[in-house]
């Protein structure tokens, strides 16, 4: 039921926009009863937030390219692609909402995402590519934040963001000792 | 006239919030005629955006501590202080607006701010503290973005952001050769 509601909500959200998302439409599209949806998600904003973030998690699995550097570049580029794609507008609208429940959904989503993506670093350690520990949340915030900052605040083109240079800066700053090719 | 309108708008914005800002109130508070304000700013959102960003520029002059590292830390900490202060809510509300004129105001504001703050780096070169050139916009986006990302998107506490560690990461990544103390 949950997956079906979230999929319907996401489809309608991308098609019609955040301000046109209604629980009634999601009920009709998913075949789940309206009261069931209201009981669980309370309002369209909360539902939109959860649907959009779940879709993003699905669209961006943790990369596993075999190298830490290319994993991080891949991650940054996938985020840029999603934000510039058809669901980008809906996702950015969710980021613009300042409402307690949506804020809480978004906050826990990003914490969960950072934890899931942390395997990029543990994989690198297992490959012997990385020595020592790393504050992966700190590294991921440095990686991800400038992309959202451009999309939401400075309106600079995401495609022009030097993702590889940012990854190199972060890796140099973290003192990684990547093995020679 | 412009300064007086912006000051009134900012004062009312911080006191009453973005959704309660009206051109009529700004006219009454500033003593500038309503039609004059409408002619120049078109609507309360645009006026609020310009007022809020002007106030931020005034609250955060480019630091000049005598060292590049402490200049950058100072800058990050001042931004955090402003965002957590009484005008933080209004400024973040402006960042959440997705309206063409406000977006354009905000985009050009940040470009102008980055250009103004670039003197941190040119000062460091003049002091002999820094060798070679630096993409100051890139460095400043890396510095500033995580603070806004926390405030707007992940709702993590700004005070907990390791500003000094972020500066050290950026400086190490840029390959700065700061002189020994």
């Amino acid at each position: 039921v949950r997956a079906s509601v979230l999929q319907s909500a996401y489809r309608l959200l991308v098609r019609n926009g955040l301000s046109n998302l209604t629980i009634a439409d999601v009920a009709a599209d998913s075949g789940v009863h309206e009261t069931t949806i209201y009981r669980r998600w309370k309002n369209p904003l909360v539902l939109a937030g959860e649907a959009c973030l779940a879709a993003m998690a699905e669209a961006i699995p943790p990369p596993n390219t075999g190298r830490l550097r290319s994993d991080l570049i891949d991650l940054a580029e996938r985020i840029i692609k999603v934000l510039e794609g058809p669901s980008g507008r809906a996702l950015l609208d969710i980021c613009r909402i300042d409402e307690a429940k949506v804020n809480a959904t978004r906050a826990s989503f990003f914490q969960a995402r950072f934890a899931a993506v942390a395997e990029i670093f543990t994989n690198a350690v297992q490959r012997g590519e990385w020595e020592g520990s790393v504050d992966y949340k700190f590294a991921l915030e440095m990686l991800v934040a400038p992309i959202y900052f451009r999309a939401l605040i400075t309106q600079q083109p995401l495609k022009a963001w030097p993702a590889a240079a940012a990854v190199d800066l972060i890796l140099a700053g973290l003192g990684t000792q990547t093995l020679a090719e």
Side-chain angles (χ1 to χ4, degrees), chain A:
Chain A
V1 165
R2 178 176 180 266
S4 152
V5 169
L6 291 183
Q7 275 163 24
S8 286
Y10 181 65
R11 192 166 43 235
L12 294 170
L13 183 62
V14 171
R15 195 205 294 156
N16 305 333
L18 180 62
S19 53
N20 296 313
L21 188 78
T22 66
I23 301 266
D25 286 350
V26 175
D29 189 84
S30 65
V32 175
H33 204 283
E34 220 174 308
T35 51
T36 308
I37 303 180
Y38 269 114
R39 201 179 309 125
R40 160 126 200 190
W41 284 280
K42 316 299 181 202
N43 69 56
L45 284 189
V46 174
L47 175 56
E50 200 172 324
C52 202
L53 296 171
M56 200 196 186
E58 202 170 309
I60 313 179
N64 194 355
T65 64
R67 302 283 294 176
L68 178 57
R69 180 175 183 271
S70 45
D71 277 354
L72 293 172
I73 293 173
D74 187 69
L75 179 62
E77 287 175 347
R78 278 165 188 263
I79 294 170
I80 289 172
K81 203 175 159 196
V82 167
L83 290 181
E84 287 192 323
S87 53
R89 168 146 292 278
L91 185 69
L92 292 172
D93 282 343
I94 297 296
C95 290
R96 289 190 185 96
I97 296 172
D98 183 28
E99 197 266 339
K101 282 211 178 72
V102 177
N103 289 352
T105 302
R106 202 174 48 225
S108 60
F109 167 80
F110 273 93
Q111 295 314 305
R113 285 291 292 164
F114 286 163
V117 172
E119 71 178 48
I120 292 177
F121 293 96
T122 53
N123 289 345
V125 170
Q126 278 171 7
R127 285 192 301 266
E129 203 194 326
W130 174 281
E131 289 173 31
S133 67
V134 60
D135 183 346
Y136 70 86
K137 272 196 206 172
F138 175 60
L140 291 171
E141 279 184 85
M142 294 294 293
L143 181 74
V144 168
I147 300 170
Y148 283 90
F149 184 68
R150 285 194 161 211
L152 286 168
I153 299 181
T154 63
Q155 261 76 41
Q156 295 300 292
L158 299 193
K159 285 234 170 73
W161 175 244
V167 167
D168 286 337
L169 184 145
I170 292 166
L171 288 178
L174 291 173
T176 176
Q177 304 290 328
T178 51
L179 298 177
E181 297 291 332

